[in-house]
């Protein structure tokens, strides 16, 4: 695509955008009465207008039925997780019994590590990317301690090479091979939250399995952003949150994937609760846990229906748009953002916004991250005052002491004009 930094160019792409109608199905925050240019759907997705109605239905049924809403509601609460499986399965490339909407991300990650991090004296190491989201680092660190190992020894972090900001797949695969006798589990991000790098899920999983390790992914920044194929890639387990690209509201219900080869194996260790019990006997309140088949057997508590109602509203939009169609638009949209940032840098000899997200579209989703030089915070503040909502990560030794600006044009509701307006705001700097 030959991009051009002009309003008419952006508007012509918008006019041809088959997904353009979805923009009007979201609420955009306003500042001084004007809708912002929202480029932080990677952090908190916007509110689908339909969500209120989905939640209202649950209020109505609660009001009318009380406890009987478990069975008499329009969407019976007892079976609530069934309503999300099909759409979720498409988003993460799974069979519908391999996924379930439940719990919340970090808590789910702990539950999955209970099942898939079972260290032994010989095989006790767990591998992850350096600069993983802190919650994941804390989860892994405390899991390792819980099992009586020392995190400094048991956690293998894969770091970028000197002077680089993203990982090379060859380095990841090499590290897996080098640790093949001690590796219990690999737990990588799908897309790294800071760099925006999309990892090679298939290659990492294959290498992990050659090393006889379990392989799982935290898809917080991948679910709803890039199509993934968890089942076909033979991934053992995965989890994600739904308030980022999946627009299901802060603290909303999370989701998990467990490959069917494990999901139907009742001897896989798990921390159980009544909602994971066999559905036909769940309310008999009998002694002795009998897991449901599939990922649903990992459910612990009864479904948070209000959160899950919002989630459903958003998933319906994904169903209608199609994750592959979203990806097509996303590549163009992020390519356009990359183009305008490069133009800005070319005019600005300081390379003020050095892109650290991989150039190769196969190695990224919609987010671009920029290492900001000395005046990065100033650029960020000025963008904010022009109504461009992006995100600033404070300077961190992991980025050579620089701050990072992240922008994520989301294909479901961002437009090419949004990207042009960002260029315009930068042009005034
Ligand atoms: C956003 C995010 C989290 C947040 O965890 P919660 O339990 O939902 O608060 C955790 N891990 C990753 C990789 C994230 O991107």
């Amino acid at each position: 695509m030959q991009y051009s930094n002009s309003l008419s160019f952006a508007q012509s792409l918008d006019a041809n955008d088959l997904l353009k109608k979805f923009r009007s199905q979201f609420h955009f925050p306003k500042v001084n009465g004007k809708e912002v240019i929202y480029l932080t759907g990677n952090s908190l997705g916007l509110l689908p207008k339909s969500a209120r109605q989905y939640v209202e239905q649950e209020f109505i049924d609660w009001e009318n039925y009380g406890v009987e809403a478990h069975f008499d509601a329009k969407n019976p609460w007892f079976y609530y997780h069934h309503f999300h499986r099909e759409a979720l399965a498409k988003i993460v490339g799974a069979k519908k019994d391999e996924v379930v909407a439940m719990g919340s991300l970090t808590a789910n990650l702990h539950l999955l590590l209970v099942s898939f991090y079972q260290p032994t004296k010989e095989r006790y190491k767990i591998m992850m990317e350096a600069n993983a989201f802190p919650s994941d680092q804390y989860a892994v660190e405390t899991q390792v301690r819980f099992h009586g190992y020392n995190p400094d020894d048991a956690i293998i972090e894969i770091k970028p090479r000197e002077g680089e900001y993203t990982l090379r797949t060859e380095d990841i695969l090499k590290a897996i091979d080098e640790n093949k006798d001690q590796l219990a589990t690999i737990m990588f991000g799908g897309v790294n939250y800071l760099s925006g790098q999309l990892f090679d899920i298939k290659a990492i999983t294959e290498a992990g399995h050659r090393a006889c390790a379990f392989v799982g992914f935290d898809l917080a920044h991948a679910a709803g952003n890039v199509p993934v194929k968890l089942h076909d890639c033979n991934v053992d387990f995965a989890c994600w949150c739904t308030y980022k690209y999946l627009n299901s509201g802060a603290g909303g219900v999370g989701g998990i994937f467990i490959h069917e080869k494990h999901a139907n194996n009742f001897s896989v260790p798990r921390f159980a609760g009544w909602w994971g019990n066999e559905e036909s006997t769940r309310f008999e309140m009998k002694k002795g846990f009998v897991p449901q088949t599939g990922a649903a057997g990992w459910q612990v508590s009864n479904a948070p229906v209000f959160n899950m109602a919002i989630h459903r509203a958003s998933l319906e939009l994904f169903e209608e748009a199609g994750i592959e169609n979203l990806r097509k638009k996303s590549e163009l949209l992020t390519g356009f953002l990359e183009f305008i940032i490069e133009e800005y840098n070319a005019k600005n000899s300081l390379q003020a916004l050095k892109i650290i997200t991989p150039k190769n579209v196969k190695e990224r989703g919609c987010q671009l991250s920029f290492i900001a030089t000395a005046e990065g915070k100033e650029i960020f503040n000025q963008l904010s005052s022009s109504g461009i909502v992006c995100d600033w990560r404070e300077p961190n030794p992991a980025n050579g002491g620089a701050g990072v600006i992240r922008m994520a044009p989301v294909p479901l509701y961002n437009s090419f004009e949004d990207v042009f307006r960002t260029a315009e705001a930068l042009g005034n700097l």
Side-chain angles (χ1 to χ4, degrees):
M1 164 77 57
Q2 191 67 37
Y3 292 109
S4 148
N5 188 350
S6 74
L7 179 60
S8 60
F9 174 76
Q11 287 176 336
S12 74
L13 286 182
D14 283 330
N16 291 322
D17 173 12
L18 298 173
L19 302 174
K20 62 175 176 270
K21 70 167 188 178
F22 290 100
R23 181 181 178 84
S24 65
Q25 299 183 33
F26 287 86
H27 289 288
F28 282 75
K30 289 191 180 123
V31 174
N32 299 327
K34 195 166 162 265
E35 275 185 5
V36 299
I37 307 287
Y38 196 78
L39 300 179
T40 38
N42 57 336
S43 193
L44 193 91
L46 290 179
L47 169 61
K49 288 180 179 166
S50 55
R52 249 193 198 90
Q53 193 189 312
Y54 278 74
V55 175
E56 180 59 20
Q57 183 65 50
E58 305 314 327
F59 276 124
I60 292 170
D61 288 338
W62 184 16
E63 184 178 324
N64 289 334
Y65 301 112
V67 70
E68 301 304 337
H70 279 296
F71 298 101
D72 294 345
K74 181 168 177 226
N75 312 301
W77 296 347
F78 188 84
Y79 303 106
Y80 214 78
H81 70 274
H82 292 237
F83 309 137
H84 304 71
R85 292 191 298 195
E86 212 156 299
L88 273 179
K90 284 185 205 158
I91 289 171
V92 298
K95 296 190 174 179
K96 74 181 181 15
D97 288 342
E98 292 174 322
V99 292
V100 66
M102 63 174 264
S104 59
L105 174 54
T106 310
N108 287 343
L109 180 55
H110 277 295
L111 292 174
L112 291 170
L113 289 174
V114 162
S115 299
F116 297 104
Y117 177 57
Q118 300 162 36
T120 62
K121 237 169 82 204
E122 293 75 37
R123 211 175 252 289
Y124 61 95
K125 295 200 173 175
I126 178 163
M127 181 179 285
M128 64 198 301
E129 84 263 33
N131 304 325
F133 194 90
S135 205
D136 297 33
Q137 295 182 35
Y138 307 155
V140 169
E141 178 192 325
T142 52
Q143 282 278 337
V144 163
R145 284 189 204 285
F146 173 74
H147 286 285
Y149 296 90
N150 175 359
D152 294 337
D153 173 37
I155 301 174
I156 304 167
E157 282 196 352
I158 311 297
K159 296 186 176 61
R161 292 186 188 183
E162 190 70 31
E164 297 184 6
Y165 297 97
T166 52
L167 297 179
R168 300 192 194 192
T169 304
E170 63 197 90
D171 291 354
I172 302 171
L173 303 187
K174 186 159 161 267
I176 294 172
D177 188 52
E178 282 169 0
N179 290 282
K180 63 176 184 294
D181 298 327
Q182 295 185 305
L183 209 48
T185 303
I186 297 171
M187 208 295 293
F188 248 71
V191 171
N192 179 268
Y193 83 102
L194 190 63
S195 68
Q197 178 176 18
L198 166 61
F199 296 112
D200 189 335
I201 290 177
K202 186 162 186 273
I204 293 172
T205 306
E206 282 172 2
H209 287 164
R210 277 197 300 277
C212 299
F214 288 123
V215 185
F217 291 87
D218 183 332
L219 301 180
H221 280 264
N225 176 13
V226 287
V228 288
K229 301 260 171 285
L230 295 178
H231 178 86
D232 289 348
C233 291
N234 213 9
V235 170
D236 295 298
F237 67 97
C239 50
W240 54 88
C241 55
T242 63
Y243 47 80
K244 291 172 179 164
Y245 295 101
L246 294 175
N247 314 313
S248 303
V253 68
I256 67 165
F257 162 89
I258 295 177
H259 197 282
E260 65 182 356
K261 68 188 171 192
H262 307 300
N264 297 328
N265 175 358
F266 295 159
S267 66
V268 174
R270 66 185 90 190
F271 282 174
W274 70 323
W275 229 249
N277 193 81
E278 169 53 37
E279 232 160 44
S280 60
T281 56
R282 183 198 279 158
F283 273 11
E284 289 176 11
M285 312 303 221
K286 281 194 186 130
K287 200 172 168 60
F289 175 63
V290 182
Q292 286 180 49
T293 54
W298 267 257
Q299 292 175 101
V300 180
S301 294
N302 70 97
V305 294
F306 290 90
N307 281 331
M308 286 170 75
I310 303 174
H311 190 29
R312 203 168 164 204
S314 177
L315 289 178
E316 300 270 314
L317 298 174
F318 277 87
E319 277 284 88
E320 201 184 331
I323 189 77
E324 296 291 344
N325 297 329
L326 286 164
R327 176 62 171 171
K328 262 187 229 142
K329 174 177 171 186
S330 179
E331 287 179 5
L332 273 184
L333 194 59
T334 295
F336 188 33
L337 178 63
E338 181 178 40
F339 170 81
I340 63 118
I341 297 291
E342 276 169 356
E343 277 221 327
Y344 171 73
N345 280 334
K347 276 193 232 138
N348 195 309
S349 56
L350 288 171
Q351 279 276 315
L353 295 174
K354 179 181 160 62
I355 304 178
I356 57 167
T357 310
K359 271 198 95 51
N360 179 354
V361 297
K362 293 203 167 67
E363 291 181 56
R364 70 185 189 199
C366 71
Q367 174 187 323
L368 291 184
S369 306
F370 318 109
I371 287 276
T373 51
E375 66 272 25
K377 188 70 189 270
E378 221 169 285
I379 297 175
F380 172 78
N381 287 339
Q382 292 191 37
L383 284 172
S384 296
S385 58
S386 317
I388 315 287
V389 181
C390 51
D391 161 292
W392 169 257
R393 297 280 114 188
E394 286 299 333
N396 188 313
N399 321 313
V404 172
I405 293 176
R406 303 183 302 168
M407 294 183 186
V410 166
L412 195 53
Y413 49 69
N414 282 120
S415 63
F416 292 89
E417 185 169 337
D418 285 343
V419 174
F420 172 76
R421 296 293 173 202
T422 307
E424 204 174 45
L426 279 170
N428 295 332
L429 297 180

